[in-house]
Amino acid sequence: MEHAQNAERLRAQLADFWGKPVRGLPRAMDLMSSMYLTASGHDLAHNPQAVSVCLSQCTATADAYRTCDVWVAPHSMAERIASHPLVRHPTLIAENLERTAPARNGLAYFPTPVQLNNLYPVHGIAWHLEGTGERLAISVETITATHLVASRLPPQMAQSTKLPLAPYCPNGIYTLHEGRIAGCGNPHLFGAPDPVNALAVVLAFWDLRAPHNRDSEGPDNTDASEDALTVFQHTRPDHGSKKSGRGRKGQRQSPGKRRIRVIREPTHTPAPPVRPADTTDNTVTVNGIPEPNWKEDTLRWGVSMRHQNRCPNPHQHRAIIEAGGECKPVKVPVKAHVNGPKGRDVDPRRTVRIVPARD
């Protein structure tokens, strides 16, 4: 349920980033301007035609996020996408996208991000199909952590680019039309995959989300491998959804809800190979005696100390350190608790105390 709420929050924050005006223009225009500058070497404001195209793209993308279907990918899918033949092959052949796409507007959230070589981790992908037939165009976005987007940009450009006030941000924007795929800006400076690889990630997700029922007709043929969860619609990027309100007649309004599709993990986790009973592979032995298997034989153990030094800003710690700041640890009380696999007995011979760091 937590991942479904995070995916809905990501959808709402990106919809605001692309569509909500700030001083007359959506915040995404700053990102588009930086991408345009890295590709052309010119300021976007000096090209009225390009400004019009970017504004139209912002509007269309915001509308797509407001109506898109949302998926939560399983943890195992990140590794399988990174090793998918479509992603690893240098060329890509995209066939009938209208028939292949699970939805015309879609967003996939990866709780475990996709790692592609030395690029920024891909926490999400989004696509938007516009038109039909020969006039079909597909827009693709790769989404990464916001604090990473500006780290490769020139210092002056990094300071002038206004990014969303949210954990995630688009770092690659691509369009495929009439067999030609193009991206906005220099993807290397934004830690994003090149246009072909970005499209390959989307197609790999489309392929992996439907490992069963491939003979079924229609775009939505994976109900057997997905769980549909209903979460409160996230309407404000910073304060969460407004779960209560009153209409014109004073009647309490019910909060809006959205359907989030969670792909089941076992569907994408290959079964372990069956080994003969007498095999000793991966078994540690000492003097011919097998050592205990940690996963099967470990008991729980008690932790008795009451204090521990911890970071006062755990959610912003990484961003503060990368910006050159410092997080001095503070001593906080920690209740006595038990660690180890749940459902096991407690080992009375093993105790652990959390020792505070020396001043």
Side-chain angles (χ1 to χ4, degrees):
M1 188 65 175
E2 178 183 359
H3 294 322
Q5 293 173 343
N6 291 339
E8 164 57 18
R9 186 177 296 109
L10 173 63
R11 181 207 62 80
Q13 290 170 342
L14 290 174
D16 284 340
F17 175 67
W18 284 101
K20 187 176 180 179
V22 178
R23 296 184 180 89
L25 293 175
R27 189 179 293 271
M29 282 295 292
D30 288 299
L31 179 62
M32 298 286 285
S33 298
S34 296
M35 289 184 170
Y36 182 83
L37 180 60
T38 60
S40 65
H42 301 287
D43 191 349
L44 179 63
H46 297 161
N47 189 338
Q49 184 177 1
V51 171
S52 178
V53 172
C54 290
L55 285 174
S56 299
Q57 184 169 359
C58 288
T59 302
T61 306
D63 292 340
Y65 276 118
R66 296 188 186 104
T67 60
C68 71
D69 292 355
V70 181
W71 281 268
V72 176
H75 294 282
S76 59
M77 187 178 281
E79 183 178 355
R80 298 189 68 189
I81 286 180
S83 59
H84 196 279
L86 289 172
V87 178
R88 298 177 64 89
H89 201 273
T91 60
L92 179 66
I93 300 177
E95 297 182 353
N96 192 337
L97 297 177
E98 287 184 277
R99 182 175 178 83
T100 308
R104 292 189 67 85
N105 300 321
L107 168 66
Y109 167 68
F110 299 105
T112 298
V114 181
Q115 299 286 345
L116 300 174
N117 298 328
N118 61 341
L119 304 176
Y120 294 154
V122 179
H123 292 272
I125 54 173
W127 65 89
H128 166 47
L129 272 65
E130 188 174 1
T132 185
E134 296 181 355
R135 296 185 178 182
L136 179 70
I138 176 173
S139 299
V140 173
E141 291 178 45
T142 55
I143 302 162
T144 190
T146 303
H147 69 272
L148 296 175
V149 174
S151 59
R152 293 189 182 185
L153 295 176
Q156 186 175 0
M157 183 182 299
Q159 294 178 358
S160 62
T161 304
K162 297 179 181 179
L163 300 175
L165 305 175
Y168 303 115
C169 173
N171 68 325
I173 305 168
Y174 315 96
T175 302
L176 173 65
H177 180 57
E178 294 183 349
R180 296 183 179 181
I181 186 169
C184 296
N186 184 343
H188 173 73
L189 292 178
F190 295 90
D194 58 66
V196 174
N197 281 334
L199 180 60
V201 171
V202 174
L203 297 181
F205 171 75
W206 293 359
D207 181 65
L208 290 175
R209 68 172 286 275
H212 301 304
N213 302 332
R214 291 188 181 275
D215 296 332
S216 302
E217 295 183 358
D220 192 5
N221 58 3
T222 58
D223 292 340
S225 61
E226 296 177 356
D227 294 323
L229 299 180
T230 302
V231 300
F232 288 109
Q233 184 167 337
H234 197 280
T235 56
R236 293 184 292 176
D238 299 324
H239 305 289
S241 59
K242 189 175 182 180
K243 298 185 178 181
S244 63
R246 296 185 180 274
R248 291 182 299 175
K249 297 183 180 180
Q251 298 178 351
R252 188 172 297 276
Q253 297 177 340
S254 59
K257 296 182 179 181
R258 287 188 66 89
R259 179 179 176 227
I260 307 298
R261 304 183 182 190
V262 181
I263 303 175
R264 296 178 185 173
E265 185 78 38
T267 304
H268 296 273
T269 304
V274 179
R275 296 185 301 174
D278 59 346
T279 183
T280 58
D281 292 344
N282 301 327
T283 301
V284 180
T285 60
V286 178
N287 296 329
I289 302 175
E291 283 288 296
N293 188 319
W294 186 90
K295 293 184 179 179
E296 298 178 357
D297 301 330
T298 297
L299 299 178
R300 294 171 68 82
W301 63 93
V303 180
S304 58
M305 193 63 187
R306 294 292 196 273
H307 290 83
Q308 183 182 23
N309 288 333
R310 293 187 176 180
C311 174
N313 305 295
H315 299 292
Q316 294 84 23
H317 177 78
R318 183 174 180 180
I320 293 174
I321 297 302
E322 291 181 351
E326 182 182 2
C327 288
K328 294 185 178 180
V330 295
K331 187 177 293 185
V332 296
V334 178
K335 296 181 180 180
H337 58 281
V338 179
N339 287 341
K342 294 183 179 180
R344 306 274 178 90
D345 295 331
V346 177
D347 187 353
R349 300 167 299 175
R350 181 181 181 187
T351 58
V352 178
R353 289 194 295 176
I354 303 175
V355 181
R358 297 180 179 178
D359 297 331

